[in-house]
Amino acid sequence: MLLLVTAALVNNFVLVQFLGLCPFMGVSNRFDTALPMGLATAFVLTVSSLAAFVMHHYVLVPLDLGYLRIVAFIVAIAGVVQFTEAFVRLVSPLLHQVLGIYLPLITSNCAVLGVALIVTDSGAGLLQTIAVALGAAVGFSIVIVCFAALRERLETEAIAPAAAGMPVALITVGIMSLAFHGLKGLGQ
């Protein structure tokens, strides 16, 4: 449980480790696109981390192919993303159209690959891998949804023209990052 909370809040991969900022900034304009993107990324991140764990421990290490780890993980992530994209297209064609290019770009989301690499480098077991992957997934979903809600709110506020748009979004991300960084002592 501590690993899950730590990955979600204390070592949040977006706001503390600064991984996955491209889809975070790109899809967080609206709450109605941020929530499905957060859930899709959470699914891909969790399943990809489990696939990376299995590949690492049962294929790459026994065959002494550790040098192929990044390539193997990217292939696994791409497969999970293709499955997720096909599922979203089948269930909600409108959502698939709204998410646009950002859904296939989960493949290149450095947070997804980063979690897989960090978990395998740490020597974590299966339960620890699941906890960290779920925590990272929950953390990504929380911050993208909160940020989208803040961005929607900022659209209705009177903001100086020079700060409107991306500048105020980046300032907001910085403040959110400071807030999450303040949780560093949690669990000690």
Side-chain angles (χ1 to χ4, degrees), residues 44-80:
V44 169
L45 198 148
T46 304
V47 173
S48 296
S49 294
L50 291 173
F53 177 85
V54 169
M55 269 203 275
H56 178 73
H57 290 286
Y58 299 109
V59 177
L60 298 175
V61 170
L63 297 175
D64 198 28
L65 297 173
Y67 58 90
L68 293 176
R69 184 173 66 152
I70 292 177
V71 175
F73 289 1
I74 289 174
V75 169
I77 292 167
V80 174

Side-chain angles (χ1 to χ4, degrees), residues 91-181:
V91 171
S92 176
L94 178 63
L95 178 61
H96 183 265
Q97 184 179 4
V98 168
L99 291 177
I101 190 69
Y102 290 104
L103 192 55
L105 279 178
I106 294 174
T107 302
S108 61
N109 184 341
C110 57
V112 176
L113 180 60
V115 171
L117 290 172
I118 288 169
V119 168
T120 56
D121 280 345
S122 71
L126 181 61
L127 291 178
Q128 290 90 358
T129 299
I130 292 170
V132 171
L134 284 175
V138 168
F140 183 85
S141 298
I142 288 171
V143 297
I144 198 169
V145 167
C146 289
F147 186 56
L150 288 169
R151 285 181 86 172
E152 282 186 4
R153 174 79 189 254
L154 287 171
E155 286 178 8
T156 62
E157 298 298 320
I159 298 173
M166 193 53 71
V168 75
L170 291 173
I171 291 168
T172 305
V173 168
I175 293 169
M176 285 179 69
S177 179
L178 287 171
F180 273 73
H181 188 71

